[in-house]
Amino acid sequence: MSGNEWVYIKDCLDTNWVSYAGPYVDRFERELAAKAGSAHAVAVSSGTAALHMALILAGVGADDEVIMPGLTFVAPANAVRYCGAWPVFTDIRADDWQWDVGLVAEFLDAGCGMRDGRLVNKATGRRIAALLSVHLLGGMGDVEAVAELAARYELPLIEDAAECLGATYKGRPVGAPIPNDKGPLRLVITSFNGNKIITTGGGGAILTEDSATAVRARHLTTTAKADQIEFEHDEVGYNYRMTNIAAALGVAQLEHLEGYVERKRNIAARYAGVFCGTGITVHPEPAHCASTFWMYTVQTTGRARPVIDRLNDRGIQARPIWRPLHRLTPYSGCFVATGMDVADDLCERCVSLPCSVQISAGEQEAVGAHLLENVSSA
Ligand SMILES: Cc1ncc(COP(=O)(O)O)c(C=O)c1O
């Protein structure tokens, strides 16, 4: 909080515009769309709500399946289940730690087929309803390769850019249209949770090129109220809209976005220097992508857990990365379409390091020294 946050929030309180309507919601949507490179942004109460809404807009329904990476934060899988649909998990890549699109292509080709005019998973008989590409740890996966698959199989594509607002792919920001994209629908979501690159306390957004989709998203996220005065609701709606206070915070935070991304990239470069030649694998930057390095992560040669425990004992807030989703109780019965060796290996050996925009060079060097000391004694 280092800019106009107080001023804009005070303005909400002074004017009594504190809830779902108010000038900051519109302004945040306009300014976010401009920064994210999309025609429209619809601001909602969380990234998870944005995912749920995007899946609804994509027509995902009960007993459908959605193909997604098997290593990520749990929210995208939860959103699939909120629709009554089932996630299908595939592995990620060892080199850039992003979704392995080649494996998705193999599964669509060999594991799926057309039945009664619908693309179905041959093993479960369920309809494949969408692709849900999650960009991981501040980097971006192969956006064009996923879009090309979505177009080939006529599947809606949802991109979860919760962790990478401010990153670019081939110089284009996360919400920018893909040149010559022939897919039926592409929606990009992001999150403004407190741990993200900019925050609204809690919040998220759906980014789209299509004005009708944006209008429908605003309608559905405000309880599908069809009349200003009468309590006329024409669909099952959701109370998912972002508040004016949250949006005011968002407008102030957006003013820092480029500065924060620059600081995160400097932090990543400094850590890379500290670990150079030590045997630690540093956080990779995917091809074609300028990453935000949102959650700076390294891969050790042995098990991460003892190293994390020892760093925590020293007051250094190191963290493991996510557990592969099929290993979580609510997802243990889900269809796993590929091996999960890379996901398992990263889970076993990765450590996320302190990387807040406020961290100093000296603090980073101390973190690096403690990590190296503990890796060699683990
Ligand atoms: C990849 C990913 N998707 C979705 C979310 C959910 O966003 P929110 O916490 O705003 O609901 C998060 C993290 O919070 C995330 O890391």
Side-chain angles (χ1 to χ4, degrees):
M1 305 299 151
S2 51
N4 286 317
E5 288 84 354
W6 273 115
V7 180
Y8 297 160
I9 289 179
K10 184 172 182 306
D11 187 31
C12 296
L13 302 180
D14 287 344
T15 57
N16 254 351
W17 288 104
V18 294
S19 196
Y20 304 112
Y24 284 103
V25 180
D26 300 338
R27 182 168 160 195
F28 183 55
E29 289 184 336
R30 263 195 327 273
E31 294 180 4
L32 173 65
K35 297 235 181 206
S38 62
H40 307 277
V42 179
V44 295
S45 53
S46 69
T48 308
L51 280 165
H52 186 194
M53 192 48 49
L55 288 159
I56 290 170
L57 293 166
V60 174
D63 261 339
D64 283 339
E65 285 184 349
V66 175
I67 309 174
M68 60 172 288
L71 184 74
T72 168
F73 183 59
V74 71
N78 285 344
V80 171
R81 289 300 295 129
Y82 300 162
C83 297
W86 297 94
V88 167
F89 300 124
T90 64
D91 208 357
I92 63 171
R93 291 164 56 105
D95 55 357
D96 64 7
W97 305 352
Q98 299 294 327
W99 202 21
D100 191 330
V101 191
L103 291 179
V104 182
E106 277 172 34
F107 170 61
L108 283 166
D109 180 44
C112 302
M114 294 305 288
R115 202 178 289 166
D116 302 327
R118 293 150 32 115
L119 183 70
V120 299
N121 178 347
K122 287 180 193 166
T124 62
R126 293 192 185 117
R127 176 177 88 112
I128 304 290
L131 300 182
L132 173 44
S133 172
V134 188
H135 302 299
L136 300 169
L137 297 169
M140 291 177 76
D142 197 340
V143 172
E144 288 178 358
V146 182
E148 199 274 315
L149 263 190
R152 193 183 325 153
Y153 288 90
E154 294 181 27
L155 291 169
L157 167 61
I158 292 142
E159 281 180 42
D160 181 341
E163 299 171 4
C164 64
L165 184 67
T168 58
Y169 173 88
K170 294 194 177 171
R172 303 189 297 263
V174 294
I178 299 169
N180 305 314
D181 182 14
K182 305 263 186 317
L185 175 72
R186 175 173 174 256
L187 297 171
V188 178
I189 75 92
T190 194
S191 161
F192 309 107
N193 183 275
N195 67 358
K196 296 299 183 292
I197 191 132
I198 61 163
T199 186
T200 58
I206 303 155
L207 307 169
T208 176
E209 286 307 290
D210 182 39
S211 56
T213 302
V215 168
R216 185 159 148 70
R218 280 192 196 103
H219 182 60
L220 283 176
T221 53
T222 44
T223 66
K225 196 162 185 290
D227 188 277
Q228 287 278 327
I229 309 292
E230 300 296 329
F231 287 96
E232 179 65 36
H233 301 265
D234 56 6
E235 288 184 69
V236 176
Y238 299 81
N239 183 8
Y240 277 176
R241 201 77 169 117
M242 180 178 278
T243 66
N244 202 47
I245 292 182
L249 189 52
V251 170
Q253 287 269 293
L254 263 184
E255 293 168 0
H256 306 302
L257 180 63
E258 291 82 4
Y260 284 175
V261 171
E262 195 186 328
R263 283 202 231 168
K264 297 289 268 187
R265 290 183 61 80
N266 288 341
I267 289 166
R270 198 174 297 122
Y271 271 137
V274 169
F275 297 123
C276 182
T278 63
I280 299 281
T281 304
V282 297
H283 194 144
E285 182 161 45
H288 308 304
C289 167
S291 174
T292 65
F293 293 98
W294 163 67
M295 185 67 80
Y296 191 85
T297 299
V298 294
Q299 191 176 24
T300 60
T301 44
R303 283 186 58 230
R305 193 68 226 192
V307 177
I308 292 166
D309 289 344
R310 282 182 213 162
L311 289 175
N312 285 177
D313 287 346
R314 303 244 186 156
I316 295 172
Q317 207 179 37
R319 287 283 177 264
I321 64 165
W322 318 282
R323 217 166 292 162
L325 295 175
H326 69 289
R327 303 203 179 280
L328 301 181
T329 305
Y331 296 104
S332 58
C334 286
F335 190 75
V336 182
T338 66
M340 280 292 167
D341 296 350
V342 178
D344 278 332
D345 185 50
L346 291 178
C347 174
E348 179 84 359
R349 296 198 288 124
C350 278
V351 183
S352 293
L353 298 177
C355 56
S356 150
V357 291
Q358 296 143 329
I359 196 168
S360 69
E363 285 170 325
Q364 279 194 262
E365 274 149 28
V367 170
H370 284 306
L371 181 99
L372 290 170
E373 184 187 307
N374 283 298
V375 166
S376 53
S377 62

